[in-house]
Amino acid sequence: MSGRRRPKLATRVCGLERRFRLSNVDETRSVSFAHQKSSISDHRVTSRLVTDAYYMASLPLAQTDHEEWEPDNVYYFGKPTADEFDPEVFIDMSDQQEAKEEAILQHESQVEWLEEHGGVDAEFDGLVEGVRAQARTTGRTRGAEFAEGFVPLHKGTSEYLE
């Protein structure tokens, strides 16, 4: 990605963050989510854009169609089975798991390709089944039916999600 495009894209993502003002599950703190250390280039670029936009969102000179906003943190999602991913914050996803699985199935070409190439990990036969199994395993460690783990950019605000 060229240096010229990145500021424009980061400004657009900043505008989206300002517009939607994402919040955590109990809606007490504002957050942004990004993917951490992915081997997939568009995931890495998107993660960097979300992080850049996080910093830009509170800057008055970052011109978008929406008012400045100061998100509390960025929470990175990573591949749960990766050695380098060690989540510190967990969210109970029990009420959202079915919707998450339906959303995954909407990416038909990606689901088909992953199914043909061994899924997310070799130990899972199917993408959705693998995602469900990982969420269930994580949930068991957190006292929930399903859960996901995240790594906060700034360590000081993770207590807002617990």
Side-chain angles (χ1 to χ4, degrees):
M1 175 171 294
S2 76
R4 288 184 169 172
R5 287 189 159 188
R6 184 178 210 123
K8 288 181 182 181
L9 285 172
T11 301
R12 289 179 65 190
V13 174
C14 173
L16 291 171
E17 286 189 6
R18 287 175 173 177
R19 177 180 175 198
F20 292 105
R21 298 178 183 243
L22 297 175
S23 62
N24 68 339
V25 175
D26 66 6
E27 298 184 6
T28 59
R29 294 289 179 246
S30 51
V31 298
S32 294
F33 294 95
H35 201 283
Q36 184 184 45
K37 297 181 181 178
S38 176
S39 61
I40 303 169
S41 65
D42 59 330
H43 292 187
R44 289 191 312 271
V45 170
T46 302
S47 178
R48 183 57 196 229
L49 286 169
V50 168
T51 303
D52 289 351
Y54 158 80
Y55 286 111
M56 294 172 62
S58 65
L59 301 176
L61 294 178
Q63 296 180 355
T64 70
D65 292 336
H66 305 282
E67 292 181 28
E68 296 84 34
W69 171 60
E70 193 166 341
D72 293 313
N73 211 341
V74 175
Y75 291 86
Y76 296 99
F77 176 80
K79 185 176 175 187
T81 57
D83 292 335
E84 68 275 359
F85 182 67
D86 189 21
E88 301 170 27
V89 177
F90 297 87
I91 296 177
D92 181 343
M93 295 296 292
S94 302
D95 292 340
Q96 294 81 25
Q97 186 65 29
E98 185 177 332
K100 177 181 176 178
E101 292 174 14
E102 290 172 11
I104 290 170
L105 291 173
Q106 295 304 309
H107 296 284
E108 293 175 12
S109 62
Q110 185 173 1
V111 171
E112 181 180 327
W113 188 90
L114 286 167
E115 294 288 344
E116 291 172 1
H117 293 85
V120 175
D121 287 304
E123 68 263 25
F124 299 126
D125 289 333
L127 174 62
V128 173
E129 292 81 5
V131 168
R132 183 183 310 122
Q134 185 60 50
R136 182 173 282 124
T137 300
T138 303
R140 285 184 184 145
T141 68
R142 312 315 296 177
E145 184 178 5
F146 297 101
E148 287 186 11
F150 298 87
V151 175
L153 175 63
H154 302 294
K155 306 299 181 192
T157 61
S158 64
E159 67 272 7
Y160 294 125
L161 289 179
E162 295 178 343

